[in-house]
Amino acid sequence: QPDLVERLISVDISPVSTTPVSEFSAYVSAMKSVKIPDGLSRSAARQLADDQLRPVVQLPQLRQFLLTNLVEMEGRYVWRVNLEAISNHLADIMNFPVFHKPYPGPALFLGGSNSPYISSKDYPEIQRLFPKAHVQYIEGAGHIVHQDKFEEFIAAVLNFLPPP
């Protein structure tokens, strides 16, 4: 229902399958295997989880982002996100559904220059589905653009949005 959307911003993802460039399955498995004993302080629990994730998730910024989903519930540390559902449906999550009708409004595909998720080989499909699309990269940002380069991310978003 494109009439319900005035403008669209896609952050570091393009309308194609991302399975070939994603290590997300390994990240989910690593998160599922984290073991934290009851009774630890929040900081100790996060440090222990960080240590357990490090062999699989080498980027410290990505580990910190994943750790934002570690929460304490009734004295135990659990993941806020449903890792089982994500794991069971990862192929669906990583694929983009087939659309034939393009979105006619303005669209911004905002990517990190150090991320593989918006590639020049995706431009034809972006243009087919989003004919008014503009692709912009934030220099030095990875996949988690808003965390890596917060001020540049906010500036790009505000620049795309109409003035109040």
Side-chain angles (χ1 to χ4, degrees):
Q1 296 182 343
D3 54 314
L4 298 178
V5 179
E6 181 182 330
R7 295 173 173 260
L8 180 138
I9 300 175
S10 174
V11 180
D12 208 52
I13 199 73
S14 59
V16 298
S17 172
T18 57
T19 305
V21 294
S22 177
E23 301 87 18
F24 205 72
S25 179
Y27 300 161
V28 171
S29 294
M31 291 169 75
K32 287 168 67 174
S33 69
V34 167
K35 303 287 185 251
I36 301 173
D38 295 349
L40 289 183
S41 69
R42 180 181 172 96
S43 61
R46 283 181 62 105
Q47 184 59 56
L48 184 58
D50 186 51
D51 292 343
Q52 292 177 46
L53 291 173
R54 186 174 290 114
V56 177
V57 185
Q58 279 100 30
L59 286 172
Q61 307 94 311
L62 181 54
R63 281 196 314 277
Q64 291 308 307
F65 177 74
L66 294 176
L67 288 169
T68 63
N69 291 290
L70 186 65
V71 295
E72 186 268 331
M73 293 182 99
E74 300 173 6
R76 303 186 70 214
Y77 286 90
V78 297
W79 295 104
R80 175 189 347 243
V81 294
N82 186 337
L83 293 175
E84 204 58 45
I86 291 170
S87 181
N88 291 337
H89 299 282
L90 196 55
D92 295 324
I93 293 168
M94 301 307 283
N95 285 318
F96 193 83
V98 175
F99 288 103
H100 300 291
K101 185 177 177 184
Y103 169 72
L108 173 64
F109 283 77
L110 185 58
S113 67
N114 297 338
S115 172
Y117 290 102
I118 300 177
S119 164
S120 60
K121 69 178 175 26
D122 303 334
Y123 293 175
E125 188 66 359
I126 290 171
Q127 286 302 308
R128 183 183 78 78
L129 290 172
F130 304 93
K132 293 183 182 174
H134 172 70
V135 178
Q136 178 182 343
Y137 295 94
I138 294 182
E139 191 62 37
H143 180 58
I144 310 172
V145 183
H146 64 281
Q147 179 180 348
D148 292 350
K149 297 287 183 171
F150 180 76
E151 289 179 14
E152 293 90 335
F153 173 80
I154 294 297
V157 168
L158 291 176
N159 189 46
F160 177 71
L161 297 175

